[in-house]
């Protein structure tokens, strides 16, 4: 390793999210509900040089593997991301995120009149667009901060 290489220690078990657009690592943490109060061990590289993206962020989360619903939401802000599952310091699984056609039950509709925001047993459902998501029920479009519409866990 030369002095110009990035030095980030390996994790024993958990998830590495690579190729996140530069400056979006904190949004990734918000999507995953990580704010530091839960004691999670997290390593972040922000605005790291990348041949493919120009600059990228990297998020390493020890002791946690992401659910498919979390990966689906991450794909909305980081469509080029790769998810690496690490066990015993080795990458045992690596895959690129794919944007789903629809995300269910993970976002809240900002429209106060939407049926999903009332006391109805209706799961939220959003169609994924090129630049955001659209509520299937009321057609409200979210094209700003997806993270602020994530259901609290």
């Amino acid at each position: 390793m030369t002095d110009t290489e990035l030095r980030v220690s390996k994790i024993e078990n958990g998830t590495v999210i690579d190729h996140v657009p530069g400056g979006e690592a904190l949004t990734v943490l918000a999507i995953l509900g990580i704010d530091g109060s839960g004691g999670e061990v997290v390593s972040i590289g922000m605005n790291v040089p990348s041949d493919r993206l120009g600059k990228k962020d990297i998020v390493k989360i020890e002791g946690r593997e992401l659910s498919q619903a979390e990966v689906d939401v991450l794909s909305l802000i980081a469509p080029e991301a790769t998810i690496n599952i690490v066990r015993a310091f080795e990458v045992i699984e690596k895959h690129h995120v794919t944007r789903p056609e629809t995300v269910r039950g993970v976002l809240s509709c900002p429209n106060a009149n939407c049926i999903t925001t009332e006391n109805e047993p209706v799961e939220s459902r959003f169609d994924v667009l090129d630049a955001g998501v659209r509520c299937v029920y009321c057609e409200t479009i979210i094209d700003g901060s997806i993270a602020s519409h994530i259901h609290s866990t």
Side-chain angles (χ1 to χ4, degrees), residues 57-125:
D57 289 359
I58 303 166
V59 179
K60 295 183 176 189
I61 307 160
E62 293 193 38
R64 179 169 170 188
E65 293 182 16
L66 304 185
S67 70
Q68 188 59 52
E70 290 171 323
V71 172
D72 286 349
V73 175
L74 285 177
S75 75
L76 302 177
I77 63 146
E80 301 289 322
T82 55
I83 307 293
N84 301 303
I85 304 300
V86 178
R87 294 189 190 134
F89 296 103
E90 296 294 326
V91 175
I92 59 126
E93 224 179 279
K94 179 176 185 170
H95 60 273
H96 295 274
V97 301
T98 53
R99 291 176 62 135
E101 290 182 19
T102 304
V103 290
R104 298 172 183 262
V106 293
L107 298 172
S108 297
C109 185
N111 178 354
N113 295 321
C114 182
I115 192 168
T116 63
T117 61
E118 300 298 320
N119 293 327
E120 300 289 335
V122 179
E123 180 180 63
S124 68
R125 194 168 81 204

Side-chain angles (χ1 to χ4, degrees), residues 25-39:
L26 299 179
T27 304
V28 168
L29 294 179
I31 287 171
L32 299 177
I34 298 173
D35 63 6
S37 65

